[in-house]
Short mmCIF file of all heavy atoms in Angstrom, two decimals:
data_model
loop_
_atom_site.label_atom_id
_atom_site.label_comp_id
_atom_site.label_asym_id
_atom_site.label_seq_id
_atom_site.Cartn_x
_atom_site.Cartn_y
_atom_site.Cartn_z
N ILE Q 14 169.43 60.67 263.91
CA ILE Q 14 169.73 61.28 265.23
C ILE Q 14 168.49 61.80 265.97
O ILE Q 14 168.53 61.95 267.20
CB ILE Q 14 170.76 62.47 265.04
CG1 ILE Q 14 171.45 62.75 266.35
CG2 ILE Q 14 170.12 63.69 264.44
CD1 ILE Q 14 172.67 63.62 266.19
N ALA Q 15 167.39 62.03 265.27
CA ALA Q 15 166.23 62.61 265.93
C ALA Q 15 164.93 61.83 265.53
O ALA Q 15 163.83 62.35 265.74
CB ALA Q 15 166.08 64.05 265.52
N GLY Q 16 165.10 60.62 265.02
CA GLY Q 16 163.92 59.90 264.51
C GLY Q 16 162.83 59.60 265.50
O GLY Q 16 161.67 59.51 265.11
N ASN Q 17 163.16 59.48 266.77
CA ASN Q 17 162.13 59.18 267.79
C ASN Q 17 161.47 60.37 268.36
O ASN Q 17 160.56 60.23 269.20
CB ASN Q 17 162.81 58.39 268.93
CG ASN Q 17 163.82 59.17 269.72
OD1 ASN Q 17 164.44 60.09 269.17
ND2 ASN Q 17 164.03 58.82 270.99
N LYS Q 18 161.83 61.57 267.92
CA LYS Q 18 161.24 62.78 268.46
C LYS Q 18 159.90 63.07 267.71
O LYS Q 18 159.77 62.97 266.52
CB LYS Q 18 162.13 63.99 268.26
CG LYS Q 18 163.53 63.82 268.91
CD LYS Q 18 163.39 63.63 270.42
CE LYS Q 18 164.75 63.48 271.06
NZ LYS Q 18 164.65 63.25 272.57
N GLU Q 19 158.89 63.42 268.54
CA GLU Q 19 157.60 63.83 267.94
C GLU Q 19 157.67 65.27 267.54
O GLU Q 19 158.06 66.15 268.36
CB GLU Q 19 156.45 63.59 268.92
CG GLU Q 19 155.09 63.78 268.33
CD GLU Q 19 153.98 63.41 269.28
OE1 GLU Q 19 153.83 64.17 270.30
OE2 GLU Q 19 153.29 62.43 269.05
N VAL Q 20 157.34 65.60 266.29
CA VAL Q 20 157.51 66.95 265.81
C VAL Q 20 156.15 67.55 265.37
O VAL Q 20 155.26 66.86 264.92
CB VAL Q 20 158.49 66.98 264.58
CG1 VAL Q 20 159.91 66.58 265.03
CG2 VAL Q 20 158.02 66.07 263.47
N PRO Q 21 156.04 68.89 265.52
CA PRO Q 21 154.79 69.55 265.09
C PRO Q 21 154.83 69.81 263.58
O PRO Q 21 155.84 70.13 263.02
CB PRO Q 21 154.84 70.90 265.84
CG PRO Q 21 156.35 71.16 266.01
CD PRO Q 21 157.00 69.81 266.15
N LEU Q 22 153.64 69.59 262.93
CA LEU Q 22 153.52 69.74 261.49
C LEU Q 22 152.48 70.82 261.18
O LEU Q 22 151.47 70.89 261.87
CB LEU Q 22 153.17 68.42 260.88
CG LEU Q 22 154.13 67.26 261.09
CD1 LEU Q 22 153.60 66.00 260.47
CD2 LEU Q 22 155.53 67.58 260.55
N TYR Q 23 152.76 71.52 260.09
CA TYR Q 23 151.84 72.55 259.58
C TYR Q 23 151.58 72.29 258.14
O TYR Q 23 152.40 71.78 257.40
CB TYR Q 23 152.46 73.95 259.77
CG TYR Q 23 152.84 74.29 261.17
CD1 TYR Q 23 154.04 73.82 261.73
CD2 TYR Q 23 152.03 75.09 261.94
CE1 TYR Q 23 154.36 74.14 263.06
CE2 TYR Q 23 152.35 75.40 263.25
CZ TYR Q 23 153.52 74.93 263.81
OH TYR Q 23 153.87 75.23 265.12
N ASP Q 24 150.36 72.66 257.67
CA ASP Q 24 150.09 72.60 256.26
C ASP Q 24 149.59 73.94 255.76
O ASP Q 24 149.75 74.95 256.45
CB ASP Q 24 149.04 71.46 255.94
CG ASP Q 24 147.73 71.65 256.66
OD1 ASP Q 24 147.38 72.81 256.97
OD2 ASP Q 24 147.04 70.66 256.94
N ASP Q 25 149.04 73.99 254.56
CA ASP Q 25 148.71 75.29 253.95
C ASP Q 25 147.25 75.61 254.08
O ASP Q 25 146.70 76.41 253.25
CB ASP Q 25 149.13 75.31 252.46
CG ASP Q 25 148.52 74.15 251.67
OD1 ASP Q 25 147.77 73.38 252.21
OD2 ASP Q 25 148.84 74.08 250.43
N ARG Q 26 146.53 75.04 255.03
CA ARG Q 26 145.12 75.39 255.22
C ARG Q 26 144.99 76.86 255.63
O ARG Q 26 145.84 77.40 256.37
CB ARG Q 26 144.42 74.48 256.22
CG ARG Q 26 144.89 74.72 257.66
CD ARG Q 26 144.32 73.67 258.62
NE ARG Q 26 144.95 72.35 258.39
CZ ARG Q 26 144.67 71.32 259.18
NH1 ARG Q 26 143.80 71.40 260.17
NH2 ARG Q 26 145.30 70.15 258.93
N PRO Q 27 143.90 77.54 255.23
CA PRO Q 27 143.71 78.96 255.67
C PRO Q 27 143.56 79.07 257.17
O PRO Q 27 143.06 78.13 257.84
CB PRO Q 27 142.39 79.33 254.94
CG PRO Q 27 142.24 78.34 253.81
CD PRO Q 27 142.84 77.09 254.30
N VAL Q 28 143.99 80.17 257.70
CA VAL Q 28 143.86 80.45 259.14
C VAL Q 28 142.37 80.55 259.49
O VAL Q 28 141.56 81.20 258.76
CB VAL Q 28 144.60 81.73 259.50
CG1 VAL Q 28 144.25 82.17 260.93
CG2 VAL Q 28 146.09 81.54 259.31
N THR Q 29 141.97 79.96 260.59
CA THR Q 29 140.61 80.08 261.12
C THR Q 29 140.71 80.69 262.57
O THR Q 29 141.77 80.75 263.17
CB THR Q 29 139.82 78.77 261.14
OG1 THR Q 29 140.40 77.98 262.22
CG2 THR Q 29 139.96 78.05 259.84
N HIS Q 30 139.55 81.08 263.05
CA HIS Q 30 139.53 81.68 264.41
C HIS Q 30 139.88 80.68 265.49
O HIS Q 30 140.25 81.05 266.61
CB HIS Q 30 138.11 82.25 264.69
CG HIS Q 30 137.05 81.22 264.92
ND1 HIS Q 30 136.51 80.50 263.89
CD2 HIS Q 30 136.52 80.77 266.07
CE1 HIS Q 30 135.64 79.64 264.36
NE2 HIS Q 30 135.54 79.78 265.69
N GLU Q 31 139.83 79.41 265.18
CA GLU Q 31 140.13 78.36 266.12
C GLU Q 31 141.64 78.06 266.25
O GLU Q 31 142.05 77.42 267.19
CB GLU Q 31 139.42 77.06 265.74
CG GLU Q 31 137.88 77.20 265.79
CD GLU Q 31 137.22 75.91 265.30
OE1 GLU Q 31 137.86 75.07 264.68
OE2 GLU Q 31 135.97 75.75 265.57
N ASP Q 32 142.40 78.57 265.31
CA ASP Q 32 143.82 78.33 265.34
C ASP Q 32 144.53 79.29 266.37
O ASP Q 32 144.32 80.50 266.31
CB ASP Q 32 144.45 78.60 263.95
CG ASP Q 32 143.96 77.62 262.97
OD1 ASP Q 32 143.71 76.48 263.33
OD2 ASP Q 32 143.77 78.04 261.78
N GLY Q 33 145.33 78.69 267.26
CA GLY Q 33 146.13 79.49 268.13
C GLY Q 33 147.37 80.02 267.43
O GLY Q 33 147.66 79.56 266.28
N PHE Q 34 148.11 80.91 268.01
CA PHE Q 34 149.30 81.46 267.39
C PHE Q 34 150.33 80.34 267.18
O PHE Q 34 150.77 79.70 268.14
CB PHE Q 34 149.89 82.56 268.23
CG PHE Q 34 151.03 83.31 267.63
CD1 PHE Q 34 150.83 84.23 266.59
CD2 PHE Q 34 152.34 83.03 267.98
CE1 PHE Q 34 151.88 84.89 266.01
CE2 PHE Q 34 153.41 83.68 267.39
CZ PHE Q 34 153.18 84.61 266.38
N ASN Q 35 150.68 80.09 265.93
CA ASN Q 35 151.66 79.04 265.61
C ASN Q 35 151.22 77.64 266.09
O ASN Q 35 152.07 76.82 266.48
CB ASN Q 35 153.03 79.37 266.09
CG ASN Q 35 153.82 80.33 265.15
OD1 ASN Q 35 153.39 80.49 264.02
ND2 ASN Q 35 154.85 80.91 265.66
N GLN Q 36 149.92 77.42 266.10
CA GLN Q 36 149.45 76.12 266.57
C GLN Q 36 149.58 75.03 265.48
O GLN Q 36 149.16 75.23 264.34
CB GLN Q 36 147.93 76.24 266.94
CG GLN Q 36 147.30 74.97 267.45
CD GLN Q 36 145.87 75.12 267.84
OE1 GLN Q 36 145.43 76.25 268.16
NE2 GLN Q 36 145.13 74.04 267.88
N ALA Q 37 150.18 73.92 265.86
CA ALA Q 37 150.42 72.84 264.84
C ALA Q 37 149.15 72.22 264.39
O ALA Q 37 148.14 72.13 265.15
CB ALA Q 37 151.33 71.80 265.46
N HIS Q 38 149.11 71.67 263.15
CA HIS Q 38 147.92 70.98 262.62
C HIS Q 38 148.00 69.51 262.80
O HIS Q 38 147.01 68.82 262.74
CB HIS Q 38 147.85 71.31 261.10
CG HIS Q 38 147.67 72.76 260.81
ND1 HIS Q 38 148.36 73.38 259.81
CD2 HIS Q 38 146.90 73.72 261.42
CE1 HIS Q 38 148.01 74.70 259.78
NE2 HIS Q 38 147.14 74.90 260.73
N ALA Q 39 149.17 68.98 263.07
CA ALA Q 39 149.37 67.53 263.27
C ALA Q 39 150.72 67.29 263.95
O ALA Q 39 151.54 68.20 264.07
CB ALA Q 39 149.31 66.75 261.92
N LYS Q 40 150.92 66.05 264.36
CA LYS Q 40 152.19 65.64 264.93
C LYS Q 40 152.60 64.30 264.39
O LYS Q 40 151.75 63.48 263.99
CB LYS Q 40 152.16 65.62 266.49
CG LYS Q 40 151.96 66.94 267.14
CD LYS Q 40 151.93 66.84 268.65
CE LYS Q 40 151.80 68.24 269.27
NZ LYS Q 40 151.85 68.16 270.75
N MET Q 41 153.94 64.06 264.38
CA MET Q 41 154.43 62.79 263.75
C MET Q 41 155.84 62.54 264.28
O MET Q 41 156.56 63.53 264.65
CB MET Q 41 154.40 62.92 262.23
CG MET Q 41 154.77 61.70 261.46
SD MET Q 41 154.72 61.97 259.64
CE MET Q 41 153.02 62.33 259.36
#
């Protein structure tokens, strides 16, 4: 039902100063 939607992905890398609030690490 949602296979064609691009979704935000997160992993377990440590937070850095470059990361925005809830900023995704990848998309798929």
Side-chain angles (χ1 to χ4, degrees):
I14 200 167
N17 65 333
K18 303 298 180 182
E19 188 174 69
V20 294
L22 301 177
Y23 301 80
D24 59 27
D25 56 0
R26 71 187 70 176
V28 171
T29 72
H30 71 284
E31 296 176 343
D32 296 325
F34 186 78
N35 279 345
Q36 180 179 339
H38 299 136
K40 293 183 178 180
M41 187 181 293

